[in-house]
Amino acid sequence: MQPNDPILTLRDVQVHFPIKSGILKRTSGHVRAVDGVDLDVYRGEVLGLVGESGCGKTTLGKAILQLVRATNGTVTYQGDGGETELTTLDDAGLFAFRKRLQIVFQDPHSSLNPAFTIFGSLEDPLRHYGVKTRKERRKIVGDLLEAVNMRRESMDRYPHEFSGGQRQRIGIARALSIQPELVVCDEAVSALDVSIQAQVLQLLMDLKREKNLTYVFITHDLSVTEFLCDRIAVMYLGKIVELCDAEELYSNTLHPYTEALLSAIPVADLDRKSQRIVLEGDVPSPVNPPSGCPFHPRCRYAQPVCRTDVPQLRRYRGKSGQHLAACHLIDHPLAD
Amino acid sequence: MTDATVTRPRTRRDAQFDRIRDREAKLAGTTQRKGRFLSKFLNNRLAVIGFAIFAVICLMSLFAPLIAQHDPMSPNLRAIAKPPSAEHWFGTDKTGRDIFARVLYGGRVSILVGLGSALLSALIGVIIGVYSGYVGGWLDWIAMRISEIFMSFPQIILVLLLVAILGQSLVNLIVIFTLTGWGGIYRMARARMLSIREEEYVQALRSFGLGPARIAYKHMLPNALGPIMVNITLSTAAFILQEAGLSFLGLGVPLSIPTWGNILNAAQDLRVLEQNWWIWLPVGATISLFVLSVNFIGDGLRDATDPSQQG
Ligand code: SF4
């Protein structure tokens, strides 16, 4: 992995959904699902995107793929042909880039069309990208299924005949069918049993090595990311609050929110302090985010300044010198 | 296009997955999708009975010339308003026409009107609803308003209007039923689309850059077919009742053509109602039987296609 070769650059990305109310459908407010995200995704890395549900991580993933369009800000793709700003392209212009960016979904039950065989579901994208004959498409789909450790013959069966883990493998096969460079895995293993999770994760990592993929791995589960990700971005209410190397995040946690998330993981390791920090209350509504630091109503270190000033994402030394966090108090030692 | 066949050294995981595959292979291969649908439908006794009645009435109407011994149109002045007999199974009406023959021939037109209107309005409703429901936005807004206009129009006034302008005819009746009927099926198709739209496989297709028409009609529509078929059967029944109602009032198909409604029309006369029960009872019973059987079929289809009852 070359650290300074970004494949994707996000600058001040915002996704706001208007809330319509009344008979006249006037916009009465906005859901700030993603609220100003700066992020580089490096070629060949696994970037974890972590946060509670409702923090905007899934929306951010979809904004990367242009499945939802950013209200503001830019998403730039850097390939062999130079830079392209995806956020300014229309559907026709996006076509060439769709095949570079793909997604694996969370729910294995809704990710495959129940009315189609596996081949029926997988062949249309291939045809769309110019695989003309049925024979060729059958060969490709068969190869793909074998690549995710399924039988070739599975392609003529219907989704309901498969287990959750199998369907998830088929979903991975579909995402790889047009040879993407970057794959967004949106809670790709969260719906699976723990034992099957491990297999699917292992499969994802093998495929990454074989095909030189880059992953953006979206999850709420910090115990999954530890073994998988090179870097981790922690999101809260549409903003990135901490971003650094995975190892660093676990060994030198800076942000109080990350600290609370980490304390919720059950640990077998006796060295790690396992005192659980309970987060009180729910995630505040992204319609009216709290003033100042969005985390202050739940933060156990909150100071008066947190209520009024928005903390900026600042750089800290850490081990790699690349540790970003957004909190007023990090300059001072955290009280314990 | 892919290099999925690239050979790589076998790892322990491969062996692990091989074992899983073998286990999967043993479990697999017993369920059949089409078979499940059919067996569920056949298990529903009412639906099967309904289908049998439906088939008998349809076939008898279709082969009316072979079954009926009398011409449904020609009056017989020597047999006016005669009760049922071996010669005239359902008796004769006030101009001496054989009622059994009229019910058979009338079924042809009534079923044509009911089924034809239902299919036409389904065609229109599905084409508009599937696309606008998936795409949303202003197109959806316009389609919704148009359907509201048509559905809020009192049907009887529309009928009067069209009869006044175009005159009574079979085609006009089908046109009227289609115009007033497509809204319901459109709304249903649209609602189905709105919920299917959020499914992840649709998102996946979008992430491949497939066009909206292709996603909506090819990939999403098959998942909405169950409720659409149910809706077609139920609206067939409703249209047949409406035809009977309108013809009874003398506003439907021209009285010269026998339809179930037109035969009933004779019962407007109070004396017929009181003294010549055979003129209106058999045809009334036929209508009820037919509508009931179609409704049973609709219920059976609904249960058989209900995705919440996988099994
Ligand atoms: S800025 Fe204040 S409220 Fe926000 S995380 Fe830091 S200490 Fe907590």
Side-chain angles (χ1 to χ4, degrees), chain A residues 19-37:
Chain A
I19 307 167
K20 303 262 172 77
S21 63
I23 324 166
L24 294 175
K25 294 271 157 64
R26 255 185 316 183
T27 306
S28 61
H30 284 94
V31 180
R32 298 157 185 269
V34 178
D35 203 12
V37 165

Side-chain angles (χ1 to χ4, degrees), chain B residues 94 266-277 280:
Chain B
K94 287 196 293 178
Q268 272 184 341
D269 188 339
L270 205 62
R271 259 180 313 167
V272 171
L273 201 60
E274 284 171 349
Q275 291 162 16
N276 311 109
W277 57 267
W280 52 268

Side-chain angles (χ1 to χ4, degrees), chain A residues 67 98 102 105 107 110-111 113-114 116 124 127-129 143 149 157 166 174 178-179 206 210, chain B residues 1-3 5 8 13 16-17 24 28 33 199-201 203 206-209 214 218-219 223:
Chain A
L67 284 176
R98 293 278 192 211
Q102 267 303 310
F105 289 98
D107 180 3
S110 94
S111 67
N113 193 337
F116 283 46
D124 234 21
R127 183 182 316 156
H128 200 51
Y129 283 91
D143 291 347
N149 289 297
R157 309 242 295 272
Q166 288 174 304
R174 173 178 57 196
I178 52 172
Q179 292 187 292
D206 288 353
E210 281 167 31
Chain B
M1 239 183 112
T2 41
D3 53 2
T5 37
R8 54 181 158 75
R13 183 174 56 81
Q16 202 182 351
F17 265 116
E24 286 165 1
R33 185 186 177 76
E199 301 268 314
E200 284 175 345
Y201 67 86
Q203 302 274 323
R206 284 182 56 209
S207 80
F208 283 112
R214 181 166 209 142
K218 180 170 178 193
H219 291 267
N223 290 298

Side-chain angles (χ1 to χ4, degrees), chain B residues 31 35 46 49-50 58 62 85 100 104 153 158 166 193 195 210 215 235 238 255 272 284 287:
Chain B
T31 40
L46 276 182
I49 293 174
C58 282
L62 201 61
S85 61
F100 182 66
L104 288 190
F153 224 100
L158 203 64
L166 303 170
M193 284 295 133
S195 70
L210 262 61
I215 294 179
S235 53
L255 274 174
V272 171
I287 295 175

